[in-house]
Amino acid sequence: KPSNIFIDGDGVLMIGDFGLAKVVKKKDHPHLSLNMQLVSVNKIEEDSDLTPKVGTPLYASPEQKNGLEYNEKTDVFSLGIILFQLLYPYTSESDRKRTIFDLRSGIFPNDMIDLYPKEMQLVKRCMDENPQNRPSADELLDAIAVFKQVLEKSNE
C-alpha cells in the first residue's frame, strides 16, 4: 500500500514493511538504478510459504483475499492499484475507498481511460483476476521506463 512506499532525501524509492516477507529471487534489471535490485517476495508463516488474509484488504489480490495459493503476481495486483492512485486526484478518503472498490470490480473512471489510455491499460493488466495474465516485474519496469521517457520528452 502507498503508506509502505518511501522516498529518501536523495530521491531513492524504498519499500517498507517486510516483516512477513521472504526473498524468492534477486537480480539486476536495466531500468533500476545501480544501487537497487529487484526483489520478489512472498508472505510466509511457520507451516507454509503463504499467509492468507494478511495485509490491507483494499490492496489484496483476489487470490489472497480468497485464501488461495499465490505468488509474486499478488504484489503486481496491489501495484496496479498504486499506479492508478499516482494518476487519480481523490477528493476525499471516502472517494479513495469507493474508487478503489470500483477498480477491484473492473470499473474505471471514464475520464482516466480518456486521459491515460496506455497507463490504464497497464493498470488493468496488473489487476487482471487471473494472476497468469498479469505482467511480470520485469515487464512492469520496462513499461514504466517507456512512460517515463514519453513524459520526459513531453516536458522538453
Side-chain angles (χ1 to χ4, degrees):
K1 61 185 176 185
S3 62
N4 290 337
I5 299 173
F6 308 95
I7 299 175
D8 73 8
D10 296 325
V12 175
L13 183 73
M14 297 178 290
I15 301 173
D17 194 7
F18 285 102
L20 296 171
K22 75 173 185 178
V23 173
V24 176
K25 60 185 173 181
K26 189 166 138 178
K27 64 181 178 175
D28 292 322
H29 189 279
H31 296 304
L32 294 174
S33 64
L34 295 177
N35 63 344
M36 295 178 67
Q37 291 186 318
L38 179 64
V39 178
S40 298
V41 298
N42 282 341
K43 303 286 186 187
I44 60 170
E45 62 181 20
E46 283 184 32
D47 297 336
S48 169
D49 281 347
L50 307 175
T51 52
K53 305 199 184 208
V54 172
T56 304
L58 203 56
Y59 294 89
S61 68
E63 60 272 19
Q64 189 178 14
K65 286 184 89 166
N66 293 323
L68 303 173
E69 198 163 311
Y70 61 91
N71 57 26
E72 67 276 359
K73 296 288 185 106
T74 197
D75 295 325
V76 172
F77 184 91
S78 304
L79 183 59
I81 296 171
I82 294 168
L83 290 173
F84 177 87
Q85 289 184 275
L86 290 170
L87 299 169
Y88 190 77
Y90 296 106
T91 57
S92 66
E93 180 61 16
S94 63
D95 179 38
R96 181 186 76 84
K97 287 180 180 177
R98 183 178 26 81
T99 302
I100 294 174
F101 183 79
D102 287 348
L103 285 178
R104 296 183 61 82
S105 300
I107 302 168
F108 285 69
N110 287 332
D111 58 335
M112 292 300 289
I113 294 169
D114 294 339
L115 286 170
Y116 305 103
K118 290 180 182 177
E119 292 85 350
M120 291 303 105
Q121 184 178 13
L122 179 62
V123 169
K124 285 181 179 184
R125 280 189 64 213
C126 289
M127 295 182 67
D128 195 296
E129 287 286 319
N130 182 344
Q132 293 178 333
N133 294 337
R134 295 178 200 149
S136 68
D138 285 340
E139 290 175 293
L140 278 170
L141 287 169
D142 291 341
I144 291 169
V146 169
F147 293 147
K148 182 180 174 192
Q149 289 173 350
V150 169
L151 182 62
E152 288 171 350
K153 284 183 182 181
S154 69
N155 288 332
E156 290 178 356

